[in-house]
Amino acid sequence: MSMAARRTIVGRIDGEILKFTAGDDIKLDLELVEADCIGSAAHATMLSRMKPPVLTPAEARRIVAALVSVMKAHRAGRFRIRLEDQDVHLAVELRLTAMLGDLGRRLHTGRSRNDQVATDLRLYGKAELLGVIEEASLLAESLLDMAARHLKTPMAGRTHLQPAMPATVGLWASAYAESLLDDLEVVAAAYRLNDRNVLGSAAGYGVPLAVDRVLTCRLLGFERPVRNVLHACHTRGKNESVILAALAQLMLTLSRLAEDIIIFVMPEFGYFEYPKEYGTGSSIMPQKVNPDAAELVRAKAAVVAQQAAMACEITRGLPAGYNRDLQEIKKPFMEGLASTRASLRVMTRLVRGLKPNETALRAGFGAGVFATDMALRLVSQGVPFREAYRRVKERLPELKAMDPDEAIAMRTHLGGPARLDIGGMRASAGEWKKFARTRLERYHAAVSNLLGVKYPQLE
Amino acid sequence: MSMAARRTIVGRIDGEILKFTAGDDIKLDLELVEADCIGSAAHATMLSRMKPPVLTPAEARRIVAALVSVMKAHRAGRFRIRLEDQDVHLAVELRLTAMLGDLGRRLHTGRSRNDQVATDLRLYGKAELLGVIEEASLLAESLLDMAARHLKTPMAGRTHLQPAMPATVGLWASAYAESLLDDLEVVAAAYRLNDRNVLGSAAGYGVPLAVDRVLTCRLLGFERPVRNVLHACHTRGKNESVILAALAQLMLTLSRLAEDIIIFVMPEFGYFEYPKEYGTGSSIMPQKVNPDAAELVRAKAAVVAQQAAMACEITRGLPAGYNRDLQEIKKPFMEGLASTRASLRVMTRLVRGLKPNETALRAGFGAGVFATDMALRLVSQGVPFREAYRRVKERLPELKAMDPDEAIAMRTHLGGPARLDIGGMRASAGEWKKFARTRLERYHAAVSNLLGVKYPQLE
Amino acid sequence: MSMAARRTIVGRIDGEILKFTAGDDIKLDLELVEADCIGSAAHATMLSRMKPPVLTPAEARRIVAALVSVMKAHRAGRFRIRLEDQDVHLAVELRLTAMLGDLGRRLHTGRSRNDQVATDLRLYGKAELLGVIEEASLLAESLLDMAARHLKTPMAGRTHLQPAMPATVGLWASAYAESLLDDLEVVAAAYRLNDRNVLGSAAGYGVPLAVDRVLTCRLLGFERPVRNVLHACHTRGKNESVILAALAQLMLTLSRLAEDIIIFVMPEFGYFEYPKEYGTGSSIMPQKVNPDAAELVRAKAAVVAQQAAMACEITRGLPAGYNRDLQEIKKPFMEGLASTRASLRVMTRLVRGLKPNETALRAGFGAGVFATDMALRLVSQGVPFREAYRRVKERLPELKAMDPDEAIAMRTHLGGPARLDIGGMRASAGEWKKFARTRLERYHAAVSNLLGVKYPQLE
Amino acid sequence: MSMAARRTIVGRIDGEILKFTAGDDIKLDLELVEADCIGSAAHATMLSRMKPPVLTPAEARRIVAALVSVMKAHRAGRFRIRLEDQDVHLAVELRLTAMLGDLGRRLHTGRSRNDQVATDLRLYGKAELLGVIEEASLLAESLLDMAARHLKTPMAGRTHLQPAMPATVGLWASAYAESLLDDLEVVAAAYRLNDRNVLGSAAGYGVPLAVDRVLTCRLLGFERPVRNVLHACHTRGKNESVILAALAQLMLTLSRLAEDIIIFVMPEFGYFEYPKEYGTGSSIMPQKVNPDAAELVRAKAAVVAQQAAMACEITRGLPAGYNRDLQEIKKPFMEGLASTRASLRVMTRLVRGLKPNETALRAGFGAGVFATDMALRLVSQGVPFREAYRRVKERLPELKAMDPDEAIAMRTHLGGPARLDIGGMRASAGEWKKFARTRLERYHAAVSNLLGVKYPQLE
């Protein structure tokens, strides 16, 4: 592609400014090549079906075929984005023009780059979010497996890290499973907002052409279009921050689970055996097996939370219409998705590998853990609770330990250690997995239909 | 209430530590008095219906009546929370004990303070969120009114703040309306997660009593209970951060609207007349009428975004079970709700007061705004878009302005300036208003039923 | 004061907008009454000494005397800020006008409210920061006392919370002391930036009067004036965010110390006895003594960090000159200072109360803690370190514990457990205490001189 | 290097966990190769001079020479960090072992990887911060040049974006220069804290060897060592967050300057001509020249502020000693430095290219801008200011514009438009430039001396 062609589009830009404005896009956009080609395929197809059409059906098919070849080239490592291209959009357009000549020069009719990147990020986000949902449901299942295996294994419940009440490994593990299921409701709300078509909003003000936004919506497998074209433009930044805020919730759940693991694998507890092959050693201390992975999850939860705040802040107070500030959100958005997914997978591995040590867990039951049970025993004898509480408190040194198993067996109310609905939660986890898989299949079917080759295989 | 009674419960605490740990609770909790009494009424009622019952029906009724009298005292400004009370929960319990003697001492059977505060915050959050939803729908309606009144009033669309394309006040105003409608989906997801009963989880590990969590759920008008009791405890912090993150989205929308107002009321634009009585003056410059309210909304958007991050961070990495850290979330949570609601109301006022100045708006259409239209005119003559773009670019100085009305009339595709679905959006806004109102009524009906007096009137 | 007088200055503002724009200022500003009066005294005095003077010396003295009476009224609880006053500045001005008639109306010559609030916040910040410095040095001293008392008490050093190396309570406690001393360098840099006079910048563009900014600088005891008046205006927001960022460093140090306390007072460790009167109980569990104060410090560290981010974000991207957004920083600024100071005081109390349990501490030395010592013993016999490391690692089960005291005694290099420079650090802490005290005295002397009464006594 | 050698050190780690824990280090660490080699050179040299020595002087020299060859290989693109290496430290050690055999295996005596990475980041940070300081002083100089060229060019000062008072381009430009000079004081405080040696703290608890930390301090050109070895470990995270918070201040200054540029290059103002070659076009709108670079600076200010918060949060609440969480700070730390430097350079370019348009600037002076001057004219005739203010306010429509030049000429007090101390500020900027350059030279001299080859040339 000649420099001249590029310059027509982007003008002559000072080299340092170009480098600054292109930023990391030329690297990050490599992740968006497929989404960009898919979006362009939908646009080209639409251009051939609008009234009056801008392309003939044959022209549209030629463009789509060229886009598929770009996707293949990309998969083969033969697609580059040069600094002068600025981003994936121009890189693909220039490649098409090199392949198709004037036909390539007609593709951009009625759309803008902002339009494209917004579409790309939504397609990318869609697939990633479905991956998140599946991976979170797998982790929930692993936690439920652990809970089922150790449904009645005693584990002293703590508050303020101090021993508090009789509880079980089952209660502990399934609490995190239910937390993930709640989080998925937040993720699903983000998914639904993301699952909307913005293509056709051009630079945020529409075009004097009869572009068919409902058609591209259907071609791309989105649930429905964003209506107002300026709002379509304004969803950039907001959409990413809604998604990152949802991911931050998953990471919060993981961070607490990670903290528990870090604490309970200390030799002073030994509640869980940390699998050696999941720990890392020290360069100086030969004895060390450290739960680094759990620590990194804890830290990444802070990273994702701040990435959500970053997306919010970059968007805040921008004047109407597109502003370049939004480009800075691409990186935290893509990184936030990637690190949430990696954290989910790693925690699943850790949970599957953790081995509860029942002896150590039982040793954690001092007499104090049963103080409330003692007070409630007095209540059952007619003593007002506050009076019972007072009596137990005054005779703490005389307090005797109860049998943990008996104490646990008495907690039979909904959600208590003796009445965990593991089956019900497993069913919820299964539904989320199905939610993710069916939607991914539908998306692949829509893309296959659009490209005329089986996706994601491209065959 | 004697100090002795208090000490039984809270022990002897060093004065400075007490002040530090009680913190702002003794002030903030005044907002939670009603929620706390309602929660206690549900608990007492449940204690009289569980098997075996801890209270007789008559005892439960006496407690509920006493709680209603506390609520009335509070409304009359006769309920205080002392530092020694630490929080609203002990303050109410001690007041009840003063009124009911031993019966008061029996109320706390089978629950903990954390249980109570979690319940209080969910009841408080429920009413507040419904207020948010109603107020956001009213602002959306005001924006749609403005859009309808100025459906075709030309307004140059901008990107990067530079004039970009022909657009309208209608497009501009309804873009923000649609943004609010999207935000409400995020708020509604937060509402649904919040609308769950945690009461009965005690200290996060349940109790050896047959507490009926489904019954309290129904009595309090929650949609369903959180299952696992440890997870019920873990939703503290997460629930607030989900809500704050949702509010941050509304504030993002308002912040951009505010920015536009600030810019477009500058004398260099004069697109909108800022109502004098909504502006504030300067103490030194007699000529000033400043859009302070809009500036404060812009700033409060940053505040709410960081409050969301704060709630996340405080919760992150906490070990299982309750930890006192969570108390620090109460303030940003309550303040975030309050400032979002105040911002929605103030923006509604501003939007209703803003007067578009059509002359000034039309003056904003330089020839450049029509450059894309010119290029697309060439396209319609068969020129490939990139070539058309190049030709227009090369002859920019010769570019002539078009008639804005004509240019706007050509943007007839979905969501374009000439095809805004104001009616459809108005219907959506109306549904949200109804969503909020019916749920608030249902909540009030449940509470009325529980307390045996009409709520919120308490008569 | 008549409404008319007020309206002259602030115009007629819609009630709801007024409430929104005044916000919490009418409460927060009660903390600024003294600073505001002191600033006004300096301004009045300057007006009488500039060429040509705007006030006679006698007039200036009358104003200063009236300001002192306002300060006394405030201390006696007889000074209110009404919503209609908007803020402390108008409240004081109106009170002066009520007392002095036309003379009061002349005080505002050549200054603006933004000028005043910027000055007030710097005076307030100055006193608060000196308080922070003194309190941090006292905490450092308490930690050094603990270190000195337990200079050689063994305590297993940990990394990743896993036992790592032989160490001591002395090393542990003095590490936090040195951290505070480092933090104070950041605080001192913030202090120096804050210690500059902005008074006289008016609305950020100066005035056509020969105001003497060097004189007010001297009268107020500031080190030097900010030069450019627009920059003086722009330091608002930045100054607060620099201070909050410095406080966040202190809080970071406290948060880690707090975490250690929370962990090491668990019964599984028992390294430290947590003083009962500093713990809080549970409303349901009679046996509980929880380290709530430490947990709250950990949480407040997150709050202050986000308040720093808040101040940054509110300021970011504002156009030149004053913008009302900055008002939103007042609250996190004042709260951040208050909670840092409270946290420092509470941690000092905790540190003084903590009792190391040597038996428990020694029990924490498993054989693994000495693995590195073993490897280095092989090194001293000529084995390359990597080979020594490998040999020890392969025979970990055979590893025998060493005598902790001997192991500690061998760590004699700078800053190692056997060579802690407690005396040197104590001297540094003492210098910081002196830094704070002498500067506070100097400030009080300047104010006393300005007001003509002894400050802070006002006698 | 055989896998066996690697496994000796790092153990057998599950592949996915390894990938997760190594994270981006294998990429980021490529930036740290030189710092790592320099740190190792100092450690080796010290090992040969301590008593008793661990290496002979000849052995130390062989290691240093090998390290220089690694640096050269790196510069030539022939140094890779493999996933199995985990990080630069093991990669270099394994390379040395491959070159030197057993001698390479002896280098790690008495140090740990955490020790190394902390040292590397401080060396890296030192050079970067000196770059920041130089680049900020160059931007300040460019702003001062602009101020000097347009010392008296009128420019209406604004508050709340509304015209406020007469001012000048000189005032505006030099305000930002002074802001940078203030920021540099914060940066310098961070620089000084960073300029300390942590090498020799091993895993945070020292070693039973007479390592000479004062010697490595001198060899590396640090100002002084951190004392307590545990504190040395604890400065990780804190050090980065102090630096990022300082950078956030510079970015705040740039963000406001950027905002002004974005606003004042709008055609409605035309105060400045934005250089075409620094603007970017649109892919759809031929007429566009957008100030993208300024927008990106505005956004990057949010990014850096949140990166500072991220570093804080990741560090907050960690238990004593090293925790892997800290690794997550490396990326925001390095990126924050890079984007601040890039922003400084780009803004310098923009400022040098901006051309004030005096006609447009003068056109911005409506009559209202002079209202305060009018009121003060009445004051000079004996009218109390508040009365004068009222009179002007009541007759605003009759207000006449004054001559801007005259109005400006009257603002002669310190820092006012007619008394800007450009020379003084230029001197300050020059001192900062010198500060940076002399320190960089000193650092290079120390490294040259250590390596025995001229640094940074490596010749």
Side-chain angles (χ1 to χ4, degrees), chain C residues 93-335:
Chain C
E93 183 178 338
L94 292 168
R95 183 112 169 194
L96 287 186
T97 303
M99 292 163 75
L100 305 172
D102 262 5
L103 182 53
R105 288 186 190 89
R106 291 164 66 193
L107 174 60
H108 206 62
T109 313
R111 72 173 186 186
S112 80
R113 271 192 290 182
N114 307 332
D115 209 13
Q116 284 182 273
V117 62
T119 303
D120 292 3
L121 289 176
R122 281 173 179 264
L123 291 174
Y124 175 86
K126 180 176 192 156
E128 288 294 311
L129 282 174
L130 293 174
V132 163
I133 295 170
E134 173 157 6
E135 285 156 358
S137 63
L138 291 173
L139 174 55
E141 287 180 344
S142 299
L143 285 159
L144 293 169
D145 288 346
M146 189 188 197
R149 274 197 314 271
H150 297 279
L151 198 59
K152 306 207 164 166
T153 308
M155 177 176 177
R158 286 163 190 273
T159 65
H160 312 262
L161 268 183
Q162 295 286 324
M165 288 255 199
T168 60
V169 173
L171 181 81
W172 176 82
S174 64
Y176 287 112
E178 188 171 346
S179 186
L180 291 169
L181 298 176
D182 274 10
D183 296 338
L184 286 179
E185 298 193 29
V186 184
V187 174
Y191 175 83
R192 278 187 288 268
L193 273 177
N194 178 73
D195 194 22
R196 294 182 185 170
N197 188 32
V198 290
L199 192 59
S201 55
Y205 300 99
V207 276
L209 289 174
V211 293
D212 187 342
R213 297 180 56 219
V214 173
L215 175 59
T216 49
C217 180
R218 188 162 49 76
L219 292 173
L220 292 170
F222 284 118
E223 198 206 3
R224 69 171 183 78
V226 174
R227 284 186 276 204
N228 183 303
V229 289
L230 180 56
H231 175 54
C233 170
H234 286 178
T235 59
R236 182 90 187 281
K238 279 180 74 70
N239 191 47
E240 294 95 310
S241 80
V242 168
I243 290 171
L244 284 166
L247 299 180
Q249 288 303 316
L250 281 169
M251 291 303 292
L252 267 194
T253 298
L254 300 196
S255 75
R256 298 193 69 172
L257 176 55
E259 176 78 359
D260 283 354
I261 292 174
I262 293 164
I263 288 175
F264 293 136
V265 301
M266 277 195 274
E268 284 77 6
F269 293 91
Y271 284 5
F272 303 116
E273 274 175 54
Y274 192 83
K276 265 219 170 80
E277 66 277 19
Y278 293 176
T280 55
S282 156
S283 71
I284 177 173
M285 297 173 287
Q287 86 279 15
K288 283 305 219 87
V289 182
N290 298 316
D292 294 53
E295 292 169 290
L296 286 168
V297 167
R298 183 172 62 183
K300 280 176 197 292
V303 173
V304 175
Q306 296 295 332
Q307 284 170 327
M310 215 181 259
C312 245
E313 275 309 332
I314 291 173
T315 310
R316 185 181 61 87
L318 291 179
Y322 180 76
N323 299 276
R324 188 65 173 263
D325 311 59
L326 297 166
Q327 180 183 350
E328 287 289 321
I329 299 179
K330 200 189 271 182
K331 192 173 194 175
F333 176 61
M334 294 171 76
E335 288 186 353

Side-chain angles (χ1 to χ4, degrees), chain A residues 45 51 82 186 214-215 232 249 257 317 322 334 399 450 459:
Chain A
T45 304
K51 314 253 149 72
R82 286 177 188 76
V186 184
V214 173
L215 174 60
Q249 287 303 316
L257 175 57
Y322 180 76
M334 294 170 77
L399 199 68
L450 171 65
E459 282 157 11

Side-chain angles (χ1 to χ4, degrees), chain A residues 158-159 282 288 295 389, chain C residues 159-160 268 282 288 295 389:
Chain A
R158 287 161 189 273
T159 64
S282 155
K288 285 304 220 92
E295 292 170 290
Y389 175 101
Chain C
T159 65
H160 312 262
E268 284 77 6
S282 156
K288 283 305 219 87
E295 292 169 290
Y389 174 101

